[in-house]
Amino acid sequence: MPETEEEVKSIVALCQNHGVPIVPFGAGTSLEGHILSSSTGVTLSLEKMDSILSVNPEDLTCTVQPGVHRLALNESLGRDGLFFPVDPGADATIGGMCATNCSGTSAVRYGVMRTNVLALNVVTPQGELIKVGSGAFKNSAGYSLKDLYVGSEGTLGVITSATLRLQPLPSHVSAGVCAFPDLPSACEAVLSVLHHSIPCVKIEVLDSSSIIAFNQYNKSQANLPDQPHLFIELSDPTEEGLRSQESLVKDILSFSSRTTPSFSTDPASIKSLWAARHSTYYASCSLRPNSKGLVTDVCVPISQLSTLMSETVNDVEAAGVVGPCFGHAGDGNFHCILPLLPNDPQEYVEKVSAVNKRLVERAIEMGGTCTGEHGVGTGKMGYLEKQYGAGAVHVMKAIKGALDPSNIMNPGKILLGD
Amino acid sequence: MPETEEEVKSIVALCQNHGVPIVPFGAGTSLEGHILSSSTGVTLSLEKMDSILSVNPEDLTCTVQPGVHRLALNESLGRDGLFFPVDPGADATIGGMCATNCSGTSAVRYGVMRTNVLALNVVTPQGELIKVGSGAFKNSAGYSLKDLYVGSEGTLGVITSATLRLQPLPSHVSAGVCAFPDLPSACEAVLSVLHHSIPCVKIEVLDSSSIIAFNQYNKSQANLPDQPHLFIELSDPTEEGLRSQESLVKDILSFSSRTTPSFSTDPASIKSLWAARHSTYYASCSLRPNSKGLVTDVCVPISQLSTLMSETVNDVEAAGVVGPCFGHAGDGNFHCILPLLPNDPQEYVEKVSAVNKRLVERAIEMGGTCTGEHGVGTGKMGYLEKQYGAGAVHVMKAIKGALDPSNIMNPGKILLGD
């Protein structure tokens, strides 16, 4: 639990000298086994490096240590009328969010971690501190090491600070909920919203099974009809602008949903809607009490989302397992939560694994990716070559080999051994 | 002049076998010497690989060969109601735009090449074809090789196709021009627009000297007062939304400019305004007939732009050289055009070099970058270590060494030899 950059450097240099593997650790909210140790070694928890080093409201940037939690950061930034828009749901640390290139509900408007991280301090596997990226919004100076370390899952170095791009808190916000007769019409409405350039902050799709779980788990929310839904958030600098967005979205949604959705600008209702949406993992697991969910995470070209989600819902039903499907429809990214019990028979576990495998393979065949926002960890290592081909994976291995030749940084993650 | 990916592979493999350097060539519009040969070798022109391979309107993506020119692409996409938003001014090729991570006037709204390139085909220095990135909008699968090859300036491989993220043509657009008493009040207005989350498509600042050049060169445009200006473009899915944006922007601008700016929605006027803006390089050079301009390109945290531009304007005046300053104010990126004549005395050339050197060093001291969008080429190689420190440059060299050990790909660019 180092408290300073200097301590990180010393620990890493010591580990390098003795060939001891290091697993960097943030909040432990990652989902693909990133923080499991695949060997003996050191877990380097960044929890004590949790200071906000500077906030620059004029520049719309801040610099933080890796152990700063997302919610604490936003609480602090709010006092300057600012926020950091990447919202993975969990109260992850900024270091961990950088490491997995996470995103979440608001990526459709504000982008992912790579879009919103401007610069990093990184301690290399040799124990040297390097600075990558720049404090400016744009940078074409050499290889983008910043974009290499974001998403490198602790396998290339330890992130010791991050400079982030911030957003002003929006002046006018509203959120709406809309039921659809089926998943394809919900996904069709999303395409239409995107094709009209409506700058949604969030546009989330939930299948019927998610809505059933949602209703049971979030008793304080209105009881939603047992149908696929979209949850949408809009924002605009002016009230008239917000009204005109709402009006256009309503026209589009009512065409495909055959009802007229309503929007609310009440901050408490909006907050409670998203808190409930972010409980979908727990809601899904509650369908099988005491279970833990296997969380899938594929992302496909947006026109393919409808087919992929529908086929997955069919797979889940055919397999006779529980698996609500929901996701960030505006990015083509969705999750299927497959709750597992400690005493599930092997047959059930295999059915669940088969559903996951099929949906990943379908996503890759559709030109998408095995992971939209959770990262590879150990869980997706077997799919990298299928997704990219051997050539690109070989280049990744060459980079890992050049930067961490003794393979001390989070070994056994992202890249399968030869 | 290969015509197929297979031919690129053969040429590169042949060059690899014989240790022959390769300089990939697009349209020749880059500005930092990227396409000069620093040794004997082959210039690999991608001009014959100029096909649009596919357009996927539903997905808002297309895949093109590297020799496709930006204007031809947008003309073709327009038939589907789409466009590719990265606009560096010049009619560059998509391959070249990827290679330099270019951006331009509309980056403030739509981002830079890295934001808008989803996937690439790349022929490695060993002559192998690899696929990087994915057709989905988000991707957390392993090291982001796509973001490494974008901006690698031909030093790591040859880009043979690019999958791009497209935007729907906006429904409602307007543009306005506004004069300010001085540069700081123009830059102050830009900060205020950004702090109000107004989603400008473009927000460009021009100093008095640029306006004088602009007026002389663009006789068909209204004669603008000899003062610093902002040129702004807004767009919105609805007319009411556009009006509300205009109204908020007018309030902000009139506060700092002490005049009420007017906006026009006439497509011909808007087109002509931006055509004139994009002539600023030629307009600046016309202040010294038959000259060619040295184009500077730094980017700083947005609050620093006012100081940096003002200090540069002072430097230009104190040096007694010609040097209009203008730029992409919303990103903190600006250019100073310093026209040089073939027969300029050495003393004049040295004054111009000193202005460039001072502004780059100031930008780096302000936490910015020596190049916001033009890339390093040969012109900025000497600044990389100053900007990042030796550690990050060492990592860049390790990557170059691992991927192109015989250094055949565009040698002598980006990284200074040891």
Side-chain angles (χ1 to χ4, degrees):
Chain A
M1 290 189 277
E3 296 181 25
T4 65
E5 225 159 35
E6 281 307 310
E7 286 183 3
V8 175
K9 286 167 63 180
S10 308
I11 294 167
V12 174
L14 200 64
C15 288
Q16 177 65 251
N17 288 340
H18 296 274
V20 174
I22 299 171
V23 181
F25 186 95
T29 55
S30 71
L31 292 160
E32 293 291 353
H34 302 87
I35 50 177
L36 300 176
S37 182
S38 56
S39 57
T40 57
V42 169
T43 288
L44 190 78
S45 168
L46 283 310
E47 69 192 85
K48 290 193 176 169
M49 291 179 67
D50 64 348
S51 297
I52 297 171
L53 300 173
S54 65
V55 179
N56 314 295
E58 277 217 295
D59 287 328
L60 300 172
T61 64
C62 70
T63 300
V64 303
Q65 289 188 316
V68 169
H69 284 256
R70 187 178 68 80
L71 294 177
L73 176 62
N74 277 331
E75 198 182 313
S76 170
L77 293 172
R79 293 193 282 273
D80 286 310
L82 301 171
F83 75 113
F84 180 62
V86 182
D87 175 7
D91 189 21
T93 60
I94 298 299
M97 291 166 68
C98 290
T100 55
N101 184 36
C102 83
S103 44
T105 49
S106 53
V108 65
R109 169 77 155 265
Y110 296 110
V112 300
M113 283 302 281
R114 271 200 193 94
T115 335
N116 290 287
V117 173
L118 295 175
L120 295 173
N121 279 7
V122 175
V123 171
T124 68
Q126 293 73 40
E128 283 177 33
L129 177 70
I130 64 168
K131 289 163 188 287
V132 301
S134 126
F137 285 168
K138 301 185 346 187
N139 185 16
S140 277
Y143 306 149
S144 187
L145 299 183
K146 181 268 289 184
D147 290 301
L148 179 64
Y149 290 108
V150 173
S152 65
E153 305 184 10
T155 65
L156 299 178
V158 181
I159 293 166
T160 53
S161 80
T163 299
L164 308 175
R165 184 166 182 162
L166 307 176
Q167 298 291 332
L169 282 168
S171 320
H172 301 274
V173 183
S174 68
V177 166
C178 184
F180 290 81
D182 49 46
L183 260 181
S185 41
C187 291
E188 192 59 45
V190 172
L191 289 185
S192 187
V193 166
L194 296 174
H195 291 167
H196 280 82
S197 300
I198 297 162
C200 293
V201 180
K202 303 172 183 171
I203 183 162
E204 297 284 304
V205 65
L206 298 93
D207 74 351
S208 310
S209 170
S210 302
I211 294 296
I212 292 169
F214 181 91
N215 282 333
Q216 280 181 15
Y217 193 80
N218 301 286
K219 300 200 166 44
S220 67
Q221 297 287 315
N223 208 39
L224 301 174
D226 171 13
Q227 288 169 248
H229 275 69
L230 292 181
F231 292 3
I232 298 179
E233 184 175 304
L234 304 172
S235 78
D236 200 275
T238 68
E239 191 172 339
E240 306 77 54
L242 184 66
R243 293 280 164 259
S244 68
Q245 280 191 49
E246 280 178 4
S247 161
L248 185 51
V249 170
K250 278 183 197 173
D251 287 350
I252 292 167
L253 297 190
S254 58
F255 182 78
S256 356
S257 70
R258 291 163 231 161
T259 59
T260 303
S262 63
F263 279 85
S264 163
T265 55
D266 171 44
S269 318
I270 296 172
K271 198 172 169 186
S272 134
L273 174 68
W274 294 117
R277 160 63 188 82
H278 279 316
S279 74
T280 330
Y281 169 83
Y282 299 100
S284 301
C285 290
S286 75
L287 296 174
R288 303 190 75 210
N290 303 315
S291 65
K292 294 212 158 132
L294 185 152
V295 186
T296 78
D297 169 45
V298 294
C299 191
V300 289
I302 50 175
S303 72
Q304 304 295 308
L305 183 65
S306 173
T307 307
L308 183 58
M309 277 188 82
S310 301
E311 287 177 354
T312 303
V313 169
N314 291 345
D315 276 358
V316 164
E317 278 177 21
V321 299
V322 171
C325 294
F326 56 89
H328 318 310
D331 298 309
N333 182 204
F334 88 99
H335 308 297
C336 176
I337 309 282
L338 296 148
L340 286 167
L341 293 166
N343 58 351
D344 268 330
Q346 188 57 25
E347 196 196 359
Y348 191 94
V349 177
E350 278 166 15
K351 280 178 183 168
V352 161
S353 298
V355 168
N356 185 26
K357 185 160 180 279
R358 263 198 303 275
L359 83 91
V360 173
E361 286 173 353
R362 280 200 187 104
I364 292 172
E365 280 160 24
M366 287 169 166
T369 173
C370 62
T371 168
E373 55 183 19
H374 294 170
V376 175
T378 56
K380 296 288 169 65
M381 286 200 297
Y383 295 108
L384 272 202
E385 198 162 312
K386 205 165 278 177
Q387 177 172 333
Y388 293 119
V393 175
H394 179 75
V395 171
M396 290 187 200
K397 286 183 178 175
I399 291 172
K400 169 74 174 175
L403 304 191
D404 182 21
S406 23
N407 192 25
I408 64 159
M409 289 308 311
N410 210 1
K413 312 296 158 59
I414 299 184
L415 298 164
L416 283 170
D418 289 315
Chain B
M1 290 189 278
E3 296 181 26
T4 64
E5 225 158 36
E6 281 306 310
E7 286 183 3
V8 176
K9 285 167 64 179
S10 308
I11 294 167
V12 174
L14 200 64
C15 287
Q16 178 65 251
N17 289 340
H18 295 273
V20 175
I22 299 171
V23 182
F25 186 95
T29 54
S30 70
L31 291 161
E32 293 291 352
H34 302 87
I35 51 177
L36 300 176
S37 182
S38 57
S39 57
T40 56
V42 168
T43 288
L44 190 78
S45 168
L46 283 309
E47 69 192 86
K48 290 192 176 170
M49 290 179 68
D50 65 348
S51 297
I52 297 171
L53 299 173
S54 65
V55 180
N56 313 296
E58 277 217 295
D59 287 329
L60 300 172
T61 64
C62 70
T63 300
V64 303
Q65 289 189 315
V68 168
H69 284 257
R70 186 179 67 81
L71 294 178
L73 175 62
N74 276 331
E75 198 182 313
S76 169
L77 293 172
R79 292 193 283 274
D80 286 310
L82 300 171
F83 75 115
F84 181 62
V86 183
D87 174 8
D91 188 21
T93 60
I94 298 300
M97 291 166 68
C98 291
T100 56
N101 184 35
C102 83
S103 45
T105 50
S106 53
V108 65
R109 170 76 156 264
Y110 296 110
V112 301
M113 283 301 281
R114 270 199 194 96
T115 336
N116 289 287
V117 173
L118 296 175
L120 295 172
N121 279 7
V122 176
V123 172
T124 69
Q126 293 73 40
E128 282 177 33
L129 178 70
I130 63 168
K131 290 163 188 287
V132 301
S134 127
F137 285 168
K138 300 185 347 189
N139 184 16
S140 277
Y143 305 150
S144 186
L145 299 183
K146 180 268 287 183
D147 289 300
L148 180 65
Y149 289 109
V150 173
S152 66
E153 305 183 9
T155 66
L156 298 179
V158 181
I159 293 166
T160 52
S161 79
T163 298
L164 309 174
R165 184 167 181 162
L166 307 176
Q167 298 291 333
L169 282 168
S171 319
H172 300 275
V173 183
S174 69
V177 165
C178 184
F180 290 80
D182 48 47
L183 261 180
S185 41
C187 291
E188 193 59 42
V190 172
L191 289 184
S192 187
V193 166
L194 296 175
H195 292 167
H196 281 82
S197 299
I198 298 162
C200 293
V201 181
K202 303 172 183 171
I203 182 161
E204 297 284 304
V205 63
L206 298 93
D207 74 352
S208 310
S209 171
S210 302
I211 294 295
I212 292 168
F214 182 91
N215 281 333
Q216 280 181 15
Y217 193 80
N218 301 287
K219 297 199 170 42
S220 67
Q221 297 288 314
N223 208 38
L224 301 174
D226 171 13
Q227 287 170 248
H229 274 69
L230 292 182
F231 292 3
I232 297 178
E233 184 175 304
L234 304 172
S235 78
D236 200 274
T238 69
E239 190 170 342
E240 306 77 54
L242 184 67
R243 294 280 164 259
S244 70
Q245 280 191 49
E246 280 179 3
S247 162
L248 185 52
V249 170
K250 277 183 196 173
D251 287 350
I252 293 168
L253 298 188
S254 57
F255 181 78
S256 356
S257 70
R258 292 161 230 164
T259 58
T260 303
S262 62
F263 279 85
S264 163
T265 55
D266 171 45
S269 316
I270 296 172
K271 195 172 171 186
S272 135
L273 175 68
W274 294 117
R277 161 62 187 84
H278 279 316
S279 74
T280 329
Y281 170 83
Y282 298 101
S284 301
C285 289
S286 75
L287 296 174
R288 303 189 75 209
N290 303 316
S291 65
K292 295 214 157 131
L294 185 152
V295 186
T296 77
D297 169 45
V298 294
C299 190
V300 289
I302 50 175
S303 72
Q304 304 294 309
L305 183 66
S306 173
T307 307
L308 182 59
M309 277 188 82
S310 301
E311 287 177 353
T312 303
V313 168
N314 291 344
D315 275 359
V316 164
E317 277 176 21
V321 299
V322 171
C325 294
F326 55 89
H328 317 308
D331 298 310
N333 182 204
F334 88 100
H335 308 298
C336 175
I337 308 281
L338 297 149
L340 285 167
L341 293 166
N343 57 352
D344 267 330
Q346 189 57 25
E347 196 196 1
Y348 191 94
V349 177
E350 278 166 14
K351 281 178 181 169
V352 160
S353 299
V355 168
N356 185 27
K357 186 161 178 280
R358 264 198 302 277
L359 82 90
V360 172
E361 286 173 353
R362 279 200 188 103
I364 292 172
E365 280 160 24
M366 288 169 166
T369 174
C370 62
T371 169
E373 55 182 19
H374 295 169
V376 175
T378 57
K380 296 288 169 66
M381 286 200 296
Y383 295 108
L384 271 204
E385 198 161 312
K386 205 163 279 176
Q387 177 171 333
Y388 293 119
V393 174
H394 179 76
V395 171
M396 289 187 200
K397 286 182 179 174
I399 291 172
K400 168 74 173 174
L403 304 191
D404 181 21
S406 23
N407 192 25
I408 64 160
M409 289 308 311
N410 210 0
K413 313 294 159 59
I414 300 185
L415 297 165
L416 284 170
D418 290 314

